[in-house]
Amino acid sequence: MKSKHPGRKAALAALLALSLIITACTESTASDDLETAEAVTPVKVAVVEQGTLTMRNEIIGITKPNKSVDVYPKMAGELAELYVSRGDYIEAGAKLGAIDTENLRVQIQQGEAALAQAQTQLKNAQLGLEQAKSNHERKILTEPNAETDETNHGEDASAASENGAAAEETQTADVSSHGEESLAEAEELPAESQPQAVNRVDLELQNIKLQLEQARTNLERMENLYAEGLISQQQYEQAVNAVRQTEIAYQQVLLAMQDENSAFAVQQAEIGVELAQIQVNQAQLNLNQARKQLADAAITAPISGQVVAVNADPGELVSMQMPLVTIISTNPIIVTADVNVRQLMLLQGLEEVEVEIPDLGRTYTARVTYLSPIANTGGFYTIEAELENPDDEIRAGMVSKIILDQSLVENSLIVPTTAIIERSDGAIVYVVRDERAVRVNVEILEQQTDKTAVAGELSPGDQVVTTGQMTLSDDQRVRIIDGEAQNH
């Protein structure tokens, strides 16, 4: 059935369509205005902290062994054995090498034979002394009977007694004064013995006196050389023994001037024992010296560590002037660095420091062992610290960093440095409160790359904007992204 008013229906439809278009446009314009008025800026935030702002100081240093020892042979000779190679780890006392000892062993055998011979001579001299003493005692016992003999016999006994007393006086005098007093002593002898004594002085005494002076001069020269370390103890003692032997020989010449009586025989026997004892001592000294050289032929390690250099092969000649091996000890290992005056002040009183080894990517705790009290030529002070290194993980020559945290501001408000906006009228930060950015003026107390100490109307726990703050204005609506505040 057709409508009675088709034109009217069309007009109504057109009017409805126009109304819908107008309504839609009006709603769109209202929506745009609302969004412009309530724009929300996404931001990232961090929490304000209360604490101490520190500065990280990195002092570049290097690692080195705690010990480095060059091992020298104690005697020159052919290297017969070598027991180590470069890179070997050894313990203190380990054998490094040995020098050929064939000649030394022959010298020891000869020294043992010489000592045995000297000891035999000493025993014979001691037996001769006992016999001389026994004869002297028998003579003393028979002297009272001799007093009843004829007068000339008594005079002879008196002269013998005087000669014996003179001999005893000569023996007990200081040996070193015999050279100056020999002629006077000869003149004091009985008249009948003076010609013989003078002949002795002319022939024997002057000769032995010259020998004694030469021996003493040589001893004085040896003493100076020994004091300077230019001769061995054995050479020095040989010079001492030479003087002593010459003094004894000099004393024997003086005693020989006396009458041949029992007291003189005892004195000669005692001197013989003393000479024999000197020979024993000298033989023992020579033997000990040979045995010491045999012991010195073995070259041993004075410390535990790693062999880093070997300077000879078996069969080569070695000397006391060139090290055979070099040993280093790296447990503990030493970290050394030069510091300026400011860093020196930070290190004063510290017993431990943190040390970073970049090549290993690890940080260790080191014990400070040395802090130089004076500056070097460059104006820096040396610090040394030691690290335990049982596995030899840290090698000598590695670059190290000594880490020092310096306190700049204590008990202050700490914010991330990125949160601060510096303007001509001062520094500000934006704090998020009730989903809005609130501008807060702050005073910068101390600033570092990551964190800054400030003063202002902030409280610990406040959220300051660290990302997006450059487009904010005061009281602008914000939305925190990443779900929560970032604690830098």
Side-chain angles (χ1 to χ4, degrees):
M1 181 176 177
K2 295 182 178 180
S3 172
K4 294 180 177 180
H5 306 284
R8 186 179 179 179
K9 289 183 179 179
L12 290 173
L15 181 61
L16 179 60
L18 179 59
S19 176
L20 290 174
I21 292 172
I22 294 172
T23 300
C25 291
T26 302
E27 289 179 354
S28 175
T29 301
S31 176
D32 291 341
D33 292 343
L34 182 61
E35 288 183 4
T36 301
E38 296 294 334
V40 179
T41 301
V43 295
K44 291 183 179 181
V45 297
V47 175
V48 177
E49 300 175 351
Q50 180 100 30
T52 299
L53 181 65
T54 60
M55 180 176 68
R56 178 186 174 95
N57 291 272
E58 293 185 354
I59 303 172
I60 303 300
I62 196 167
T63 58
K64 68 175 186 178
N66 70 78
K67 293 179 182 178
S68 180
V69 178
D70 291 329
V71 183
Y72 292 83
K74 294 182 179 179
M75 60 180 294
E78 179 184 340
L79 184 64
E81 301 289 344
L82 182 65
Y83 305 115
V84 295
S85 302
R86 285 188 302 172
D88 289 349
Y89 287 87
I90 56 174
E91 297 295 329
K95 289 185 177 181
L96 305 175
I99 296 173
D100 182 70
T101 59
E102 182 176 354
N103 291 336
L104 291 176
R105 297 185 185 280
V106 172
Q107 291 179 17
I108 290 176
Q109 293 175 354
Q110 292 174 343
E112 290 173 343
L115 177 60
Q117 182 180 3
Q119 289 172 337
T120 300
Q121 292 174 350
L122 176 60
K123 290 180 180 179
N124 292 337
Q126 290 171 339
L127 291 174
L129 176 59
E130 293 299 325
Q131 183 63 42
K133 288 181 177 180
S134 176
N135 294 338
H136 181 57
E137 290 175 356
R138 285 198 300 270
K139 181 178 180 181
I140 292 175
L141 293 176
T142 58
E143 280 183 355
N145 298 328
E147 293 178 355
T148 59
D149 292 343
E150 296 178 354
T151 302
N152 60 339
H153 291 167
E155 293 176 353
D156 292 340
S158 175
S161 176
E162 290 177 1
N163 291 339
E168 183 176 358
E169 180 182 356
T170 301
Q171 181 186 14
T172 56
D174 182 16
V175 175
S176 63
S177 65
H178 284 319
E180 295 77 4
E181 300 174 358
S182 58
L183 293 175
E185 289 174 346
E187 292 174 356
E188 292 175 0
L189 294 174
E192 59 268 27
S193 63
Q194 283 188 18
Q196 181 181 2
V198 171
N199 289 336
R200 292 281 182 88
V201 170
D202 290 338
L203 298 177
E204 298 181 35
L205 191 60
Q206 294 301 326
N207 182 48
I208 198 67
K209 179 180 178 181
L210 178 60
Q211 294 178 16
L212 180 58
E213 291 176 353
Q214 292 174 344
R216 286 173 176 169
T217 300
N218 183 60
L219 175 58
E220 183 177 358
R221 183 174 64 87
M222 288 298 188
E223 286 176 344
N224 294 331
L225 294 176
Y226 181 71
E228 295 175 1
L230 300 178
I231 62 171
S232 65
Q233 181 180 0
Q234 181 184 9
Q235 292 173 304
Y236 170 70
E237 291 183 358
Q238 286 175 345
V240 173
N241 288 335
V243 171
R244 182 58 182 154
Q245 289 175 345
T246 309
E247 289 175 341
I248 292 174
Y250 183 79
Q251 188 179 17
Q252 285 181 313
V253 172
L254 293 178
L255 291 175
M257 296 178 182
Q258 312 304 317
D259 293 335
E260 297 295 332
N261 53 36
S262 61
F264 178 67
V266 171
Q267 292 173 354
Q268 282 189 316
E270 289 174 344
I271 292 173
V273 170
E274 188 173 356
L275 282 173
Q277 183 64 59
I278 290 175
Q279 294 298 326
V280 170
N281 295 342
Q282 185 63 50
Q284 185 68 63
L285 178 64
N286 294 339
L287 180 58
N288 292 343
Q289 184 69 18
R291 287 172 175 171
K292 182 180 183 302
Q293 289 180 335
L294 181 63
D296 290 343
I299 306 170
T300 58
I303 64 170
S304 300
Q306 185 179 17
V307 177
V308 296
V310 178
N311 301 318
D313 293 318
E316 294 184 17
L317 294 178
V318 296
S319 69
M320 295 181 288
Q321 285 72 43
M322 176 176 288
L324 176 63
V325 301
T326 300
I327 305 171
I328 64 170
S329 173
T330 56
N331 183 32
I333 198 166
I334 302 299
V335 175
T336 181
D338 289 336
V339 300
N340 56 36
V341 174
R342 181 178 60 82
Q343 294 166 336
L344 176 69
M345 295 299 102
L346 297 177
L347 288 165
Q348 293 287 353
L350 293 183
E351 295 182 356
E352 294 181 338
V353 292
E354 296 299 311
V355 175
E356 178 185 344
I357 308 294
D359 291 337
L360 301 178
R362 294 186 58 185
T363 300
Y364 305 82
T365 299
R367 184 172 65 88
V368 177
T369 56
Y370 176 71
L371 192 59
S372 175
I374 59 174
N376 57 29
T377 55
F380 292 93
Y381 298 82
T382 299
I383 177 179
E384 291 185 358
E386 64 178 30
L387 294 172
E388 294 300 322
N389 190 31
D391 299 325
D392 200 33
E393 179 184 42
I394 307 172
R395 298 301 181 94
M398 284 186 170
V399 174
S400 61
K401 295 180 180 179
I402 299 176
I403 309 301
L404 293 177
D405 289 331
Q406 179 182 359
S407 177
L408 300 177
V409 180
E410 296 183 356
N411 194 25
S412 175
L413 296 172
I414 309 297
V415 299
T417 300
T418 56
I420 297 175
I421 302 173
E422 296 190 55
R423 298 181 176 180
S424 59
D425 57 348
I428 66 170
V429 295
Y430 282 100
V431 181
V432 177
R433 293 173 180 165
D434 298 329
E435 298 183 352
R436 293 188 178 277
V438 178
R439 188 175 74 176
V440 177
N441 295 325
V442 295
E443 176 187 357
I444 296 176
L445 303 179
E446 190 70 45
Q447 191 171 53
Q448 294 297 305
T449 302
D450 297 329
K451 295 184 178 182
T452 299
V454 298
E457 295 181 2
L458 295 175
S459 300
D462 283 348
Q463 295 177 325
V464 292
V465 179
T466 58
T467 301
Q469 71 275 29
M470 304 304 296
T471 61
L472 293 178
S473 60
D474 191 25
D475 200 37
Q476 184 173 342
R477 188 176 178 185
V478 296
R479 176 171 56 86
I480 300 174
I481 62 176
D482 290 345
E484 58 184 29
Q486 300 299 306
N487 194 352
H488 291 190

